[in-house]
């Protein structure tokens, strides 16, 4: 019996022997592929090769690819074969072999290497694909075991490479089936297990669904490792293979339950094992839990794992323990599980802790609910209520059912599914309309009555506020719960809303019952700030007292870049001249971008001068002072204002010592010393008379320098010298390289002389005439002639017939030296020799050349040279 690890290796080795290059699994994050959230199949990393956007570096490859699929999330643990994360074994041809090879190899692998009996196997083909059907039959599949299936057409997504496919199924026997009279291949039960899909990738499908042929025909096959392991190990489900059992055992041990005693417990154990594996591998590839995109998929799977663990009675953190088991079993192959250990564990701990406390809160509320139901003599929890627990506290309805059943209360499941359907519909609708919500008339009206939001963020990063109003797209809300995105109006705010090139703050708003993450901040024309938030736990209500908290580290990093921008503008004016005018700017936590008017590229000296000036003013630790004043007064003080920008009567002037004065609404450091360091990283033109500088400040500048230092160190270690010696060493190496090239050339010349000597040892004598007939290496006719000349010098008198094979054809040269030697004629000799290789030729009496078609006859032709010459000699 083979282990999962052995099966993975066997597959790769089998195809390596068939000329495939074994490639490591690509990341679960598809590279440069906006059409996919996650890697869902073995072919995903190869899409550019199938489409010939990139010339494939090899024409055959084989992989064990990490994949995540979530459409069947709810079925995981309930069937024998569904997973979120799985490994897919595959062999791929990029315009190389096609069906005629892919099919018999797959069949040989399944029936001979894995020894699966043919009477258990079935094959499906695309209805039109007579070619595939014929090849299967030729490979040894009996006709009645081949089933046409119109669904046999495979594509990685709505747009991309695709083609008809053929699948191999194993019949696991009636005992595994649903028992229905029409149970056959294609039935949704566990009896017929699809183990391998062979895709004959030959089309590209565009947005309109039109199929166009790909430049070349390709092969993409996929076999789930977990499935094939279950067949080979003869176990009931993928979960019973050695790929899962260690995780299931550990989970059962933590929970103090036994596997295979109760179907419900088993499902939970399987879900926990599957999901923990998925989460570990996703984190290992650098996906972070978040509220959208692939981060959300990760969070959802992780939360599901925690919920199902709770069903097993696990209420302490357990993910890290299970991760260790996964690491033990998989890290030798997937080393990222080891390399990114800290990242994985930190995120597991954090997410688990946060979610467990939400679950606890929900449990308390559910108990209150039970009491209320009991007091009222009600025995059924309504679907809406069950849904509320699901949505707000992440309670799976199974968990709610379980808790309530102890109290003799049931859940209205039909109403629950209706409520979830309804919610899904609304959520879709909501996200579609969410963007428009800011323009929502009701919101604008409300904002007018509420008036401008007081910004306290210049002096504080945290403040107490009142939640004045809350909106969804539907309109004003009284309250909203976990998972909902809403727009809040506060009486005062510490959050800076994007303006003047400075990006919005990040942060949270919290009450003692709820917390919400800031997603987007906008300042409406009347000065009211809208806070778009995602409620991450609890319920927010209109009128709540909230604490608004800016992410202070983030704010500081932004401030460093903003203050540095002011210094940059001054330094540019000093170095380049007063014509420098700001034309645009972007200030974020990790860089600044400054566009300005100037007519030529900055020289290195100018760039260094600008950088020096800025850093001198950072070191001078100038006090930053902001003050509101009238526009006239600001002008008088010489403050720089943006060309064309409209300022109200009262403006805010930001001063840095005596050096810089600018009108600006942004947030800044207290003294320039806080900027730490500024480094210009790029300078370039962006239009006529417009330049752009990008720079990094503070810790980002340090990170930038470290990266460069790292590269230098790496170069040093490759060159095996101290980093500062690298330049010298590279110079030396370049010179050395030239020397070596010279030497190689000399050696080559020597080598061909040496070869000539070796060939000369083949000289034979026929009736007193020296004859040399030999095959030599020469890429073309010219080289062959040069070789003949050289040999002639060595041989002095005699006949030379040399030949080479180039590009599948035979080249021949004959020399008779001195001319007329014993009446021999080079042209006549070569004519006869060439004829044997299916060619023709001729020429002068001292020298002739010819071509032949059949390299396999060359040996024979050269062997015949002595007798041909002897024949000519006889005639004289
Ligand atoms: N791409 C196909 C699949 O995932 C075969 O590898 O099924």
């Amino acid at each position: 019996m083979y282990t999962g690890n052995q099966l993975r290796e066997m597959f790769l080795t089998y195809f390596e022997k068939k000329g495939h290059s074994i490639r490591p699994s690509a990341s679960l994050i598809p590279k440069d592929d906006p059409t996919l959230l996650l890697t869902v199949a073995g072919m995903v990393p190869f899409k550019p090769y199938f489409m010939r956007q990139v010339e494939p570096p090899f024409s055959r490859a084989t992989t064990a690819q990490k994949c995540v699929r979530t459409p069947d999330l709810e079925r995981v643990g309930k069937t024998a074969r569904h997973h979120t994360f799985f490994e897919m074994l595959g062999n791929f041809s990029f315009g190389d072999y096609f069906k005629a090879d892919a099919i018999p190899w797959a069949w040989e692998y399944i029936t001979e290497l894995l020894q699966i009996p043919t009477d258990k196997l079935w094959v499906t083909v695309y209805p039109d694909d007579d070619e595939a059907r014929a090849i299967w039959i030729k490979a040894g599949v009996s006709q009645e075991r081949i089933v046409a299936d119109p669904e046999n057409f495979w594509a990685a997504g709505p747009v991309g490479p695709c083609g008809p496919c053929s699948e191999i199924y194993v019949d696991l026997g009636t005992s595994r089936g649903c028992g229905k009279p029409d149970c056959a291949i294609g039935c949704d039960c566990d009896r017929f297990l699809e183990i391998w899909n062979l895709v004959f990738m030959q089309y590209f499908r565009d947005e309109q669904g039109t199929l166009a042929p790909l430049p070349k025909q390709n092969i993409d096959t996929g076999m789930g490792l977990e499935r094939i392991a279950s067949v080979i190990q003869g176990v009931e489900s993928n979960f019973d293979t050695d790929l899962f059992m260690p995780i299931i055992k550990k989970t059962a041990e933590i929970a103090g339950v036994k596997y295979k005693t109760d179907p419900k417990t088993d499902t939970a154990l399987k879900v926990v094992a599957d999901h923990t594996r998925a989460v570990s591998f996703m984190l290992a590839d650098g996906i972070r839990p978040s509220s959208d995109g692939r981060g959300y998929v990760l969070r959802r799977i992780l939360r599901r794992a925690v919920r199902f663990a709770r069903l097993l009675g696990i209420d302490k953190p357990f993910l890290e323990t299970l991760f260790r088991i996964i690491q033990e079993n998989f890290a030798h192959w997937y080393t990222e599980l080891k390399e990114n250990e800290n990242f994985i564990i930190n995120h597991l701990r954090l997410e688990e802790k946060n979610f467990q406390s939400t679950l606890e809160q929900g449990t308390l509320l559910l108990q209150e609910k039970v009491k209320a139901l009991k007091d009222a003599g009600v025995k059924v929890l309504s679907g809406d209520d069950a849904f509320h627990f699901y949505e707000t506290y992440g309670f799976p309805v199974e968990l709610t059912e379980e808790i309530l059943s102890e109290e003799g209360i049931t859940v209205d499941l039909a109403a629950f599914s209706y409520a979830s359907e309804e919610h899904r519909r609304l959520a879709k609708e909501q996200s579609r309309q969410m963007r428009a919500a800011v323009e929502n008339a009701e919101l604008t009206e409300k904002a007018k009555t509420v008036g401008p939001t007081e910004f306290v963020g210049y002096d504080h990063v945290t403040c107490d506020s009142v939640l004045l109003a809350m909106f969804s797209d539907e309109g004003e809300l009284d309250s909203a719960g976990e998972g909902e995105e809403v727009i809040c109006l506060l009486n005062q705010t510490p959050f800076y809303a994007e303006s003047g090139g400075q990006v919005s703050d990040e942060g949270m708003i919290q009450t003692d019952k709820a917390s919400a993450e800031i997603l987007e901040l906008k300042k409406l024309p009347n000065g009211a700030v809208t806070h778009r938030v995602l409620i991450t736990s609890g319920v927010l209500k209109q009128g709540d007292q909230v604490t608004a908290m800016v992410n202070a580290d983030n704010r500081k990093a932004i401030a460093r870049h903003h203050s540095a921008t002011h210094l940059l503008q001054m330094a540019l004016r000093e170095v380049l001249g007063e014509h420098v005018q700001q034309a645009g700017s972007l200030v974020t936590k990790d860089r600044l971008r400054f566009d300005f008017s100037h007519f030529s590229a900055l020289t290195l000296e100018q760039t260094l001068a600008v950088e020096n000036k800025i850093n001198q003013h950072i070191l001078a630790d100038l006090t930053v002072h902001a003050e509101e004043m009238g526009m006239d007064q600001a002008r008088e003080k010489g403050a720089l204002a943006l060309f064309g920008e409209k300022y109200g009567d009262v403006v805010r002037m930001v001063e840095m010592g005596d050096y810089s004065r600018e009108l600006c609404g942004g947030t800044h450091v207290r003294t320039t010393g806080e900027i730490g360091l500024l480094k210009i990283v790029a300078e370039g033109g962006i239009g006529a008379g417009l330049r752009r500088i990008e720079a990094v400040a503070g810790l980002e500048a340090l990170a930038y320098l470290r990266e460069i230092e790292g590269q230098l160190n790496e170069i040093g270690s490759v060159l095996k010298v101290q980093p500062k010696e690298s330049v010298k060493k590279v110079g030396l190496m370049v010179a050395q390289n030239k020397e070596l090239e010279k030497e190689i050339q000399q050696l080559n010349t020597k080598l061909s002389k040496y070869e000539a000597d070796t060939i000369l040892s083949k000289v034979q004598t026929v009736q007193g005439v020296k004859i040399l007939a030999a095959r030599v290496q020469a890429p073309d006719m010219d080289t062959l002639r040069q070789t003949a000349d050289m040999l002639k010098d060595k041989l002095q008198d005699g006949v030379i017939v040399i030949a080479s094979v180039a590009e599948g054809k035979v080249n021949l040269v004959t020399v008779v030296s001195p001319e007329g030697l014993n009446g021999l004629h080079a042209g006549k000799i070569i004519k006869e020799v060439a004829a044997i290789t299916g060619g023709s030729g001729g020429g002068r009496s001292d020298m002739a050349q010819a071509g032949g078609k059949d390299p396999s006859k060359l040996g024979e032709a050269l062997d015949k040279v002595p007798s041909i010459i002897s024949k000519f000699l006889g005639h004289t």
Side-chain angles (χ1 to χ4, degrees):
M1 189 184 86
Y2 297 114
T3 64
N5 284 332
Q6 284 167 333
L7 287 167
R8 188 190 297 117
E9 206 167 313
M10 263 171 80
F11 183 91
L12 298 175
T13 315
Y14 174 82
F15 282 101
E16 190 182 35
K17 288 206 184 105
K18 301 265 183 236
H20 293 64
S21 147
I22 301 183
R23 309 302 306 159
S25 171
S27 165
L28 284 168
I29 307 177
K31 196 167 167 266
D32 304 329
D33 190 344
T35 66
L36 287 175
L37 208 53
L38 290 159
T39 299
V40 293
M43 56 76 73
V44 169
F46 298 128
K47 278 166 79 176
Y49 298 163
F50 291 132
M51 296 191 278
R52 282 296 191 278
Q53 289 164 330
V54 174
E55 200 45 41
F58 29 74
S59 57
R60 302 174 179 194
T62 179
T63 56
Q65 174 64 48
K66 299 178 282 185
C67 301
V68 169
R69 291 186 187 174
T70 49
D72 289 321
L73 191 62
E74 312 280 335
R75 302 187 70 188
V76 174
K78 297 191 175 136
T79 70
R81 60 177 200 275
H82 285 95
H83 299 295
T84 50
F85 171 84
F86 62 96
E87 289 177 73
M88 190 173 254
L89 305 171
N91 56 292
F92 305 90
S93 153
F94 312 113
D96 186 353
Y97 64 87
F98 200 47
K99 295 177 201 179
D101 288 311
I103 291 177
W105 286 343
W107 192 248
E108 178 185 68
Y109 189 75
I110 291 293
T111 58
E112 286 173 32
L113 270 90
L114 297 183
Q115 300 259 321
I116 303 179
T118 45
D119 63 1
K120 290 209 161 101
L121 294 170
W122 289 79
V123 161
T124 63
V125 292
Y126 190 62
D128 291 349
D129 199 350
D130 295 335
E131 191 189 354
R133 180 185 285 272
I135 302 172
W136 282 113
I137 293 174
K138 202 170 147 223
V141 185
S142 58
Q143 200 133 5
E144 64 282 0
R145 288 283 175 136
I146 306 177
V147 181
D149 181 354
E151 282 185 9
N152 271 358
F153 195 91
W154 201 90
V159 175
C162 54
C165 59
S166 247
E167 295 162 326
I168 304 179
Y169 280 79
V170 180
D171 180 356
L172 298 171
T174 43
S175 64
R176 298 283 294 280
C178 54
K180 291 186 190 136
D182 58 349
C183 178
I185 195 158
C187 181
D188 216 22
C189 73
D190 280 337
R191 174 171 168 189
F192 292 95
L193 181 66
E194 181 215 324
I195 50 167
W196 203 345
N197 184 14
L198 277 51
V199 183
F200 312 126
M201 190 79 77
Q202 49 185 324
Y203 299 112
F204 179 83
R205 189 162 64 191
D206 66 13
E207 277 90 355
Q208 283 75 44
T210 318
L211 295 179
L214 285 172
K216 294 200 171 155
Q217 293 177 321
N218 311 283
I219 290 291
D220 150 34
T221 86
M223 168 154 70
L225 175 65
E226 296 76 5
R227 290 188 182 188
I228 195 68
S230 80
V231 174
I232 298 300
Q233 298 177 5
V235 290
E236 206 169 89
S237 81
N238 297 2
F239 295 97
D240 296 289
T241 64
D242 68 327
L243 294 164
F244 282 98
M245 277 317 291
I247 319 173
I248 291 186
K249 275 197 192 129
K250 191 69 188 181
T251 314
E253 181 193 315
I254 300 173
V257 298
K258 259 189 132 71
Y259 184 45
K260 301 239 179 195
T261 45
D262 165 39
K264 260 192 158 167
T265 306
D266 287 356
T267 300
L269 286 169
K270 291 171 183 174
V271 171
V272 171
D274 173 276
H275 288 13
T276 317
R277 230 167 61 117
V279 163
S280 303
F281 274 93
M282 290 170 88
L283 286 167
D285 276 344
I287 301 175
R288 285 166 207 273
S290 70
S291 51
D292 59 6
R294 54 180 74 93
Y296 181 65
V297 177
L298 167 56
R299 175 167 282 169
R300 214 169 125 217
I301 299 178
L302 187 147
R303 289 188 168 191
R304 248 181 136 245
V306 175
R307 276 156 31 180
F308 277 84
R310 182 61 68 112
L311 280 179
L312 292 168
I314 302 178
D315 54 8
K316 298 251 150 34
F318 65 96
L319 287 173
E320 189 178 338
T321 314
L322 293 190
F323 165 67
R324 292 292 179 197
I325 302 286
I326 293 165
Q327 205 183 27
E328 248 167 59
N329 284 277
F330 294 93
H332 68 283
W333 187 258
Y334 298 107
T335 50
E336 56 276 25
L337 291 168
K338 189 93 210 144
E339 285 145 17
N340 303 331
E341 183 178 288
N342 288 342
F343 179 87
I344 302 171
I345 288 178
N346 287 342
H347 279 289
L348 286 179
R349 281 190 194 147
L350 194 71
E351 281 287 305
E352 187 172 30
K353 194 174 126 250
N354 286 347
F355 185 56
Q356 273 179 337
S357 56
T358 315
L359 267 178
E360 255 150 48
Q361 207 183 343
T363 311
L364 289 179
L365 287 176
L366 190 59
Q367 277 156 2
E368 273 173 29
K369 187 85 203 173
V370 167
K371 193 170 172 299
L373 288 176
K374 276 189 163 171
D375 288 351
V378 180
K379 296 232 161 266
V380 184
L381 181 76
S382 75
D384 279 342
D385 280 341
F387 182 72
H388 171 73
F389 280 99
Y390 173 74
E391 196 44 37
T392 311
Y393 300 103
F395 272 44
V397 69
E398 296 87 347
L399 181 66
T400 310
E401 262 189 300
E402 184 126 345
I403 297 172
L404 294 185
S405 72
E406 287 160 18
E407 312 285 342
I409 297 173
T410 57
V411 176
D412 183 346
L413 287 178
F416 171 81
S417 3
Y418 179 76
S420 12
E421 274 308 312
E422 187 59 11
H423 177 80
R424 229 168 274 157
R425 194 186 61 72
L426 284 176
K428 249 196 203 153
E429 183 93 334
Q430 188 180 346
S431 69
R432 192 174 57 75
Q433 295 174 350
M434 199 62 205
R435 290 269 145 201
V438 182
E439 320 299 339
N440 184 313
E442 212 181 329
L443 173 63
T444 320
E445 260 327 292
K446 185 79 178 194
K448 270 192 205 144
T449 25
V450 167
T453 312
E454 189 192 345
F455 178 62
V456 298
Y458 289 131
D459 305 312
H460 307 280
V461 284
T462 302
C463 78
D464 293 332
S465 307
V466 182
L467 176 50
L468 298 176
M470 216 170 12
F471 289 83
S472 76
D473 186 60
E474 311 289 292
E476 198 165 352
L477 295 171
D478 287 334
S479 71
E482 184 183 326
E484 282 185 75
E485 271 186 33
V486 290
I487 291 174
C488 302
L489 290 175
L490 305 177
N491 65 332
Q492 56 172 15
T493 186
F495 299 112
Y496 185 84
E498 176 176 350
S499 113
Q502 178 179 330
V503 296
S504 292
D505 280 328
E506 290 175 3
M508 319 254 305
I509 57 181
Q510 273 187 335
T511 67
D512 48 5
K513 290 188 211 66
S515 69
E517 186 186 317
I518 297 285
L519 298 177
E520 189 181 62
L521 297 155
K522 276 199 175 154
K523 203 166 179 176
L524 299 184
N526 80 328
V529 174
T530 57
H531 305 69
R532 190 153 76 89
V533 302
L534 170 71
I535 303 178
T536 47
S537 69
V539 174
L540 276 181
K541 288 195 201 64
Q542 195 171 126
D544 272 352
Q545 288 285 341
V546 303
T547 310
M549 292 177 295
V550 174
N551 174 336
D553 286 340
N554 185 69
R555 159 71 77 81
K556 273 190 189 147
I558 296 173
R560 283 194 283 268
H561 286 95
H562 200 158
S563 301
T565 307
H566 286 208
L567 294 180
L568 171 64
Q569 172 153 230
M570 271 319 289
L572 284 170
R573 288 168 71 92
E574 278 186 313
V575 174
L576 304 178
E578 301 279 302
H579 62 277
V580 169
Q581 275 275 351
Q582 173 171 346
S585 108
L586 174 70
V587 175
T588 72
K589 65 176 192 295
D590 42 38
R591 72 193 170 108
L592 69 88
R593 198 176 74 199
F594 186 73
D595 299 342
F596 58 100
S597 46
H598 183 61
F599 298 91
S600 54
L602 269 67
T603 62
L604 179 63
E605 288 74 31
Q606 286 171 330
T607 310
L608 293 182
V610 170
E611 217 174 63
N612 282 344
K613 277 195 188 298
I614 299 170
N615 284 296
Q616 277 155 12
H617 288 96
I618 290 174
L619 292 179
D621 202 17
L622 307 173
T623 303
V624 178
H625 172 76
E627 197 183 325
E628 292 196 336
M629 60 185 70
M631 185 69 165
D632 294 345
Q633 200 188 349
R635 281 234 172 90
E636 232 165 73
K637 291 197 171 216
L640 293 178
L642 269 186
F643 180 73
E645 189 166 319
K646 285 193 202 96
Y647 284 94
D649 267 344
V650 177
V651 294
R652 181 169 183 262
M653 185 177 79
V654 175
E655 241 174 343
M656 302 187 180
D658 233 3
Y659 187 58
S660 139
R661 283 193 188 88
E662 260 186 61
L663 298 191
C664 172
T667 57
H668 286 272
V669 295
R670 285 163 302 187
T671 66
T672 56
E674 285 180 20
I675 299 171
L677 173 67
L678 179 121
K679 182 80 194 86
I680 293 179
V681 297
E683 191 276 335
I686 51 164
L690 277 185
R691 313 289 308 168
R692 167 172 292 177
I693 280 186
E694 291 184 57
V696 284
L699 291 174
E700 291 302 326
L702 187 63
Y704 172 79
L705 294 172
R706 282 201 180 135
E707 194 188 319
I708 290 183
E709 186 187 38
Q711 286 165 359
L712 267 182
N713 285 340
E714 219 172 290
I715 293 174
S717 86
V718 171
L719 296 175
K720 300 208 170 41
V721 295
Q722 290 300 320
K724 57 177 192 290
E725 303 288 324
S726 299
V727 176
K728 210 165 107 196
K729 176 84 179 182
V730 170
L732 272 176
M733 285 174 71
V734 170
Q736 225 170 23
N737 224 13
K738 270 199 193 129
E739 282 297 310
L740 289 174
E741 267 169 21
K742 240 197 239 157
E743 222 168 286
I744 288 176
Q745 222 164 21
Q746 285 165 357
L747 284 173
N748 270 340
T749 321
K750 273 194 196 151
L751 194 63
S752 43
K753 284 208 182 102
Y754 170 78
E755 266 182 354
D757 290 343
T758 319
I759 292 168
L760 282 174
S761 68
K762 296 189 178 149
V763 172
Q764 27 185 325
T765 310
V766 174
Q767 297 178 32
V769 177
K770 282 190 270 175
I771 296 172
L772 172 58
R775 177 169 173 173
V776 301
Q777 300 285 340
D780 50 37
M781 194 58 105
D782 277 351
T783 321
L784 191 64
R785 262 200 321 265
Q786 282 163 19
T787 313
D789 275 345
M790 198 168 64
L791 290 168
K792 185 175 86 178
D793 290 344
K794 300 236 170 202
L795 191 67
Q796 301 208 345
D797 62 297
V799 181
I800 296 164
V801 179
I802 53 169
S804 68
V805 176
E807 289 164 7
K809 293 223 174 70
V810 177
N811 287 332
L812 284 159
V813 170
T814 298
V815 171
V816 172
S817 157
E819 191 170 2
L821 175 74
N822 288 17
L824 290 170
H825 189 286
K828 288 184 186 159
I829 298 172
I830 207 166
K831 197 165 172 200
E832 299 216 0
V833 182
I836 303 173
T837 64
S840 60
R844 305 196 312 256
S845 65
D846 62 334
M847 143 94 194
Q849 62 187 49
K853 293 199 189 89
D854 186 354
S856 71
K857 289 274 167 55
L858 182 57
E860 182 188 334
L862 291 172
D863 285 347
K864 290 224 167 108
V865 170
S867 62
I868 293 169
I869 290 177
S870 138
K871 189 181 78 188
F872 285 124
L873 286 173
H875 288 166
T876 57

